[in-house]
Amino acid sequence: MRIAWRALIGETLVGRDPTYQVTRSGEERALRFIALLLILQRASYLVPTVIETGIANATYNSQLTNAVLLAVAVAWNVGLAVGVHRWGWFPRWTVGADVTLMCVLLAVSSVNHLSNEVFHNVNWASKLVWATAALVGAAVAPRWIPLVLLAPATAHLGMALVRFDAIPLSLDRLLNLLDSYFWWALIAYFMRRYLCAQGRALDQTTQRQLELNARRAAEQARFAERIAQYRTLHDTVLTTLTAIARGGLNHRTVEVRRRCATEADYVRRLIQQDASGTFNTLDARLSEVITAAESLGLRVHYLHDPLPADLPRGAVDGIADASREALNNVLTHSGTTEAWLTATWDSEVLLVRVVDRGRGFDENSVVLGFGIRSSIVERMHEAGGEATLSAMVHNGVCVDLVWPSAQISS
Amino acid sequence: MIEVSVVDDDRMLLDGIAAWFSSVEDVVLRARARSVDELFETGSPLAEVVVLDLLLADGSDPVHNVRRLVDAGARVLVVSVVPHGEQGIDVVSAGACGYLTKDHDLAVLADAVRRAAAGDNVHSPELAFAWCRTDRPDRPHLSGQERAVLLAYASGLTLSAAARHAGIRPGTAKAYLDRVKDKYTRAGRPTYTKLDLADRVREDGLR
């Protein structure tokens, strides 16, 4: 019982942890709370009975039989408490088992009782059946409650009839007995209905608040991104156009045209990003990587699917850094100043491909350098993905970054 | 000498492209206009290749523009500032021989014009990407190898490298791209009437 007590109640009643189980849903917490009350109700009947049985009890024919019945009842209820702590609520089969057990306990205990006060509180089983009535009220659909409660009532009255050839109850006491079943079931039913409804309402309010917070956070991130974009536009496109508009700058020179092309690519990416509505970390990080590569003189053609917004931070970092290294390799080794970066998202698998049409190399005769092995292959491996590289002489190099790796995704 | 007309609503771009083509020996700019209507209003015969801006300031429908020019006997090459994949598919299905963005350099554009003039298909990574990534319900069925070649070519690989990626010969890769274009063109043919439907059946039967 002590274990069940601690398992079920935990830190709640001692008040050391007011946030106990706060991460669970409101409905689940309501059910757990009702379960706690139902178990406590059982404890309130069983604990005094156990104590009384331990001191002295001459109301039963066989003390041993009574002790065995009590031990069974205690064991079942302790098991029920531990199980409910694990499951969160009473599974249907436990309700059926509890009703059945109560029928057996009521019948045997009534036969074992010395006096004809088998309906009186001194017969502990007749009190414990109230807890069963409450459980039925809380855990069974309303239309089945009277039918289910009929079972213990029938067992109790039936056994009295067998033993005394009559039911030793006046009509008003009989009604009182059935009345107590009914009220316990009704109280538990309304308690569950009200608390669960409150829990669901609380969940909905919390969900709305979370969505609102997420939207605000996204708007703030978007605003910060916009500010960064305005700054970049000011430092690049606006500065270039202003210089050309003022005159004196020969816009036909190779340097100015190259700068215009790079800045046009930047604006093109902004429009694509805005049109697809896919503002997310990976997209933003890849755009940063491309902008950095373009500042070094590389032109990058960027095509992409709407990319997932919820990739793990480590994966985003790994893919972005590996892409950066792949573009650096194009600058350093390809002999061209043009690259393609394509990102697709298919069946929960991300493919980022970096391609150039440069001089390439013969895969069979060239050993991959430290940069590719360490900064691309190993980095992707650490991020949970994989990287492959293919090349053809005079037909460039293709670096595929796949996340998650085939081993993980399978 | 290949005659080209350019339709673009940006005068500066028209001037720039005129200067551009003046440096290409085998291409001559015949006319430039800010809309398809304006091009037809000149009254002169159409050039064999028309470079058409996808989205014009007059708000005209790109597909309608392409159909008008194709019906008038021109080979149409559609260009746009930023990739508009779905509209790129539509204009090529409507009869344009290719679709590409304006960020390519002169050599790529001049090569596209030459291919268009020769009656060849003009493939571009941006159109290949749109073909293999679209999720429109009426998209034609593509085989696994067709998709592999499309994605490889869309990723910027040369045709030879794309072929190697898919494990086929370069000539076969080009045939795959042509076949995909053909599938999309057939999927995009209008069948508004029973006569259209009969035409489509007859065309398919003749292939």
Side-chain angles (χ1 to χ4, degrees):
Chain A
M1 185 59 78
R2 185 163 164 264
I3 295 168
W5 180 273
R6 289 191 63 177
L8 216 95
I9 299 173
E11 299 287 312
T12 312
L13 290 190
V14 291
R16 272 184 285 179
D17 181 13
T19 62
Y20 179 64
Q21 292 191 341
V22 77
T23 54
R24 296 180 191 272
S25 73
E27 186 170 6
E28 188 180 343
R29 278 183 288 156
L31 287 175
R32 281 183 176 275
F33 180 69
I34 297 164
L36 168 67
L37 295 184
L38 292 174
I39 295 291
L40 284 176
Q41 183 193 13
R42 286 157 184 264
S44 74
Y45 301 143
L46 283 173
V47 171
T49 306
V50 170
I51 294 168
E52 283 171 16
T53 306
I55 298 168
N57 203 329
T59 55
Y60 292 95
N61 283 323
S62 165
Q63 296 300 326
L64 180 64
T65 305
N66 186 51
V68 169
L69 291 178
L70 200 55
V72 169
V74 169
W76 164 249
N77 281 287
V78 168
L80 195 61
V82 173
V84 167
H85 175 68
R86 185 178 302 160
W87 303 316
W89 184 240
F90 300 90
R92 191 172 292 172
W93 70 267
T94 60
V95 180
D98 192 65
V99 171
T100 308
L101 183 68
M102 276 317 302
C103 291
V104 173
L105 287 177
L106 271 173
V108 179
S109 180
S110 297
V111 170
N112 192 39
H113 209 269
L114 274 176
S115 70
N116 61 356
E117 291 290 335
V118 293
F119 297 103
H120 194 268
N121 289 349
V122 293
N123 183 8
W124 57 266
S126 69
K127 279 196 296 183
L128 199 57
V129 78
W130 297 341
T132 297
L135 173 61
V136 169
V140 174
R143 63 178 178 279
W144 295 112
I145 291 173
L147 198 64
V148 176
L149 288 182
L150 205 59
T154 306
H156 207 174
L157 296 171
M159 192 50 65
L161 198 61
V162 168
R163 183 175 167 193
F164 304 111
D165 290 329
I167 298 173
L169 280 178
S170 59
L171 184 61
D172 61 326
R173 284 195 62 196
L174 178 64
L175 288 175
N176 274 342
L177 177 81
L178 298 176
D179 199 42
S180 59
Y181 288 8
F182 169 76
W183 282 108
W184 275 114
L186 192 70
I187 289 166
Y189 167 70
F190 278 110
M191 188 166 63
R192 177 183 174 173
R193 189 176 165 190
Y194 174 74
L195 289 179
C196 285
Q198 289 290 313
R200 281 193 293 274
L202 184 66
D203 285 345
Q204 286 169 358
T205 308
T206 308
Q207 184 62 28
R208 276 198 296 273
Q209 189 62 40
L210 284 173
E211 286 170 1
L212 190 66
N213 289 346
R215 210 159 42 234
R216 278 187 189 146
E219 280 168 7
Q220 278 179 351
R222 205 174 177 86
F223 178 72
E225 179 68 12
R226 282 266 186 275
I227 296 294
Q229 287 168 356
Y230 291 153
R231 197 167 291 149
T232 308
L233 284 171
H234 173 271
D235 295 347
T236 56
V237 180
L238 189 60
T239 307
T240 306
L241 288 177
T242 306
I244 293 172
R246 273 194 194 130
L249 178 68
N250 183 4
H251 62 275
R252 294 182 190 279
T253 62
V254 174
E255 290 78 16
V256 174
R257 282 172 47 215
R258 186 175 295 152
R259 176 169 169 162
C260 287
T262 301
E263 291 170 3
D265 284 339
Y266 176 70
V267 174
R268 194 172 283 114
R269 277 200 305 282
L270 284 186
I271 294 170
Q272 274 183 271
Q273 199 176 57
D274 207 47
S276 63
T278 56
F279 174 80
N280 61 58
T281 313
L282 180 62
D283 202 10
R285 287 295 308 276
L286 288 177
S287 292
E288 278 174 20
V289 166
I290 292 169
T291 304
E294 286 179 337
S295 70
L296 298 172
L298 192 68
R299 286 203 62 202
V300 183
H301 303 271
Y302 181 38
L303 290 171
H304 62 92
D305 285 341
L307 298 176
D310 54 353
L311 289 180
R313 178 85 181 262
V316 171
D317 288 344
I319 293 161
D321 292 341
S323 301
R324 187 192 306 276
E325 184 60 23
L327 290 174
N328 286 343
N329 281 338
V330 175
L331 264 171
T332 314
H333 303 296
S334 73
T336 68
T337 55
E338 198 170 22
W340 283 259
L341 194 150
T342 312
T344 59
W345 177 247
D346 256 331
S347 309
E348 305 290 309
V349 174
L350 177 77
L351 166 66
V352 174
R353 180 174 280 173
V354 179
V355 165
D356 71 75
R357 294 178 174 178
R359 62 172 73 100
F361 58 84
D362 182 0
E363 287 177 6
N364 299 321
S365 60
V366 173
V367 178
L368 296 183
F370 176 78
I372 291 176
R373 280 188 282 112
S374 170
S375 299
I376 296 180
V377 178
E378 286 176 19
R379 183 172 273 153
M380 282 303 294
H381 185 68
E382 286 164 10
E386 57 193 37
T388 53
L389 184 140
S390 58
M392 271 178 82
V393 178
H394 306 309
N395 273 286
V397 176
C398 171
V399 177
D400 279 350
L401 311 174
V402 178
W403 187 93
S405 71
Q407 288 89 342
I408 292 175
S409 59
S410 62
Chain B
M1 193 66 84
I2 303 166
E3 291 187 340
V4 178
S5 292
V6 181
V7 180
D8 200 303
D9 53 17
D10 190 321
R11 181 170 293 281
M12 199 168 78
L13 212 135
L14 280 176
D15 292 343
I17 216 158
W20 229 24
F21 278 134
S22 66
S23 65
V24 183
E25 287 181 357
D26 56 340
V27 176
V28 60
L29 186 65
R30 182 184 189 118
R32 40 186 167 153
R34 297 171 76 173
S35 68
V36 175
D37 285 337
E38 193 178 304
L39 185 69
F40 279 114
E41 281 165 10
T42 59
S44 55
L46 276 179
E48 53 189 312
V49 177
V50 175
V51 177
L52 172 69
D53 189 19
L54 179 73
L55 301 172
L56 294 169
D58 64 354
S60 53
D61 177 21
V63 169
H64 182 60
N65 287 339
V66 169
R67 289 215 175 106
R68 285 179 70 190
L69 292 166
V70 170
D71 289 346
R75 302 277 296 165
V76 183
L77 196 59
V78 180
V79 294
S80 68
V81 176
V82 295
H84 293 282
E86 293 298 320
Q87 285 175 301
I89 292 173
D90 289 338
V91 292
V92 172
S93 298
C97 54
Y99 165 75
L100 64 163
T101 47
K102 292 178 183 175
D103 57 334
H104 295 287
D105 58 23
L106 176 59
V108 174
L109 185 60
D111 187 52
V113 168
R114 288 187 198 103
R115 284 178 183 277
D120 204 357
N121 290 320
V122 178
H123 297 295
S124 62
E126 43 273 35
L127 182 60
F129 190 78
W131 274 337
C132 69
R133 306 310 295 171
T134 184
D135 57 356
R136 53 173 62 189
D138 61 341
R139 64 188 183 278
H141 173 74
L142 303 180
S143 69
Q145 280 208 321
E146 285 170 345
R147 292 185 65 80
V149 170
L150 268 183
L151 184 59
Y153 188 69
S155 308
L157 291 169
T158 61
L159 210 52
S160 300
R164 185 176 178 233
H165 246 251
I168 54 178
R169 290 186 304 177
T172 313
K174 171 73 167 57
Y176 278 168
L177 292 181
D178 289 342
R179 199 157 71 193
V180 171
K181 179 176 186 275
D182 190 46
K183 284 183 177 180
Y184 270 94
T185 304
R186 285 204 277 171
R189 288 173 305 171
T191 49
Y192 302 122
T193 65
K194 284 184 179 177
L195 283 176
D196 284 337
L197 191 62
D199 286 345
R200 301 295 85 84
V201 171
R202 194 183 66 250
E203 288 166 16
D204 289 347
L206 291 173
R207 281 169 193 279

